[in-house]
């Protein structure tokens, strides 16, 4: 499937590769969207063993970002980044579809 304009930043790809290597897993990050959070939807991240047949897949520096078809409608055009700040380090989704977000950056509404 095509990538629907999803982007995995080089810093996020490097972080996924590091985590995957430590856990002895493939460097595949799954992004999904679930109902909940303080704004209606929340992002979920996890390592995947392999893409599912219907997943959208994009790749950066040998690291894959996979998204299921239902979540893809909500995150099309997103950039998944990894940022380190005084508040800690985390994966962050820059979502052009989100009408509102929350202070923690892990939930959004459309």
């Amino acid at each position: 499937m095509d990538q629907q304009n999803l982007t995995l930043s080089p810093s996020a790809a490097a972080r996924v590769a590091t985590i995957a290597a430590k856990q002895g897993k493939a460097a595949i990050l799954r992004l999904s969207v679930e109902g909940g959070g303080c704004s209606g939807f929340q992002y979920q991240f996890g390592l995947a063993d392999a893409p599912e047949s219907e997943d959208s897949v994009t790749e950066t520096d040998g690291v894959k970002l996979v998204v299921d078809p239902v979540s893809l409608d909500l995150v099309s055009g997103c950039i998944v980044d990894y940022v380190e700040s005084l508040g800690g380090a985390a994966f962050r989704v820059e979502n052009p579809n989100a009408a509102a977000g929350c202070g923690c950056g892990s939930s959004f509404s459309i």
Side-chain angles (χ1 to χ4, degrees):
M1 287 196 144
D2 69 349
Q3 59 183 332
Q4 295 289 318
N5 299 318
L6 286 172
T7 304
L8 182 65
S9 75
S11 63
R15 185 63 183 155
V16 171
T18 300
I19 293 169
K22 285 181 180 176
Q23 295 185 11
K25 293 189 172 191
I28 302 172
L29 179 67
R30 176 170 297 284
L31 167 62
S32 59
V33 176
E34 296 182 359
C38 40
S39 293
F41 295 101
Q42 60 186 353
Y43 303 111
Q44 298 290 323
F45 293 100
L47 290 179
D49 294 324
E52 301 291 327
S53 62
E54 294 184 355
D55 283 343
S56 177
V57 180
T58 186
E59 190 168 323
T60 300
D61 299 334
V63 176
K64 292 180 179 157
L65 172 65
V66 297
V67 181
D68 65 89
V70 174
S71 298
L72 185 61
D73 287 342
L74 299 169
V75 297
S76 180
C78 285
I79 298 170
V80 177
D81 198 7
Y82 180 75
V83 293
E84 296 183 41
S85 66
L86 292 175
F91 289 103
R92 177 178 295 161
V93 178
E94 296 174 24
N95 188 341
N97 307 311
C102 66
C104 65
S106 63
S107 68
F108 67 102
S109 64
I110 54 173

